[in-house]
Amino acid sequence: GPTTKIHLLSDSAGNPTLIKLSSGNIHDIDVAFEFLDELPKITKNILADKGYDSDLFRKSLISLGKIPTIPGRKNRRE
């Protein structure tokens, strides 16, 4: 049957602050942009796994005054 993915936004202690569900065939980065408006103003550092590696997502975080720490996917050139 259909699968569901759980996407979490958590605070610095690892406590979930926002949960979104998506279809299992939706890429993590597609859901990530939905979290941008939900980020608390005081949040400075964003830690995410390589599923969120996207130049546009990184630039979006920087434009909001956030510091992204996201490892590059194996095919990243820079």
Side-chain angles (χ1 to χ4, degrees):
T3 59
T4 302
K5 272 186 172 177
I6 300 171
H7 306 270
L8 296 173
L9 180 66
S10 61
D11 62 16
S12 60
N15 300 311
T17 58
L18 184 64
I19 299 172
K20 291 188 183 273
L21 300 176
S22 73
S23 173
N25 64 343
I26 301 296
H27 293 284
D28 293 338
I29 193 63
D30 294 333
V31 178
F33 288 96
E34 296 178 22
F35 283 105
L36 291 178
D37 291 335
E38 307 288 339
L39 293 173
K41 300 286 185 221
I42 62 169
T43 301
K44 289 292 177 202
N45 296 296
I46 304 296
L47 177 63
D49 68 27
K50 63 184 176 181
Y52 298 92
D53 179 25
S54 154
D55 289 336
L56 181 59
F57 187 59
R58 289 172 191 269
K59 289 176 185 175
S60 297
L61 289 169
I62 292 168
S63 73
L64 293 172
K66 313 302 181 193
I67 301 167
T69 302
I70 305 168
R73 289 171 282 153
K74 63 184 176 184
N75 63 346
R76 178 170 272 286
R77 294 178 193 226
E78 58 176 82

